[in-house]
Amino acid sequence: MTDLGLYLSRKSVNRSDVSRKTGISKTRLSELANNKKTKLRVDELYLIALAIDVEPCKVFQEVCKDLKLKIEN
């Protein structure tokens, strides 16, 4: 499961509801939640955040929490 999938599960989000509100297909939401190789677009993240009534920055921080800058010498 992806970080987005874990976040949506913790929030008990109904994916059918999100699909209806955002226009993102249930298949695409399932891919975003389950397949780590699937790339989440920023517009999708923004719409999902609006649909679940969460600040987009909070979702963004959760989804990208493992990203770090490279340390230069």
Side-chain angles (χ1 to χ4, degrees):
M1 188 171 279
T2 65
D3 288 332
L4 178 64
L6 293 170
Y7 183 79
L8 295 176
S9 291
R10 276 197 312 275
K11 291 283 198 184
S12 300
V13 170
N14 181 324
R15 291 187 200 164
S16 293
D17 223 18
V18 172
S19 177
R20 185 177 46 75
K21 290 177 181 178
T22 63
I24 301 169
S25 72
K26 288 187 244 178
T27 303
R28 176 70 178 159
L29 286 172
S30 183
E31 281 292 311
L32 291 169
N34 298 310
N35 187 346
K36 292 186 180 207
K37 291 184 179 183
T38 301
K39 299 294 183 186
L40 173 62
R41 297 187 332 245
V42 71
D43 60 320
E44 292 171 324
L45 183 140
Y46 185 76
L47 289 172
I48 291 167
L50 293 178
I52 63 175
D53 199 29
V54 173
E55 283 294 320
C57 288
K58 291 187 187 250
V59 180
F60 188 79
Q61 287 173 329
E62 184 65 29
V63 170
C64 297
K65 68 180 179 256
D66 294 331
L67 294 177
K68 305 286 183 224
L69 291 175
K70 292 181 181 179
I71 299 173
E72 294 185 28
N73 295 333

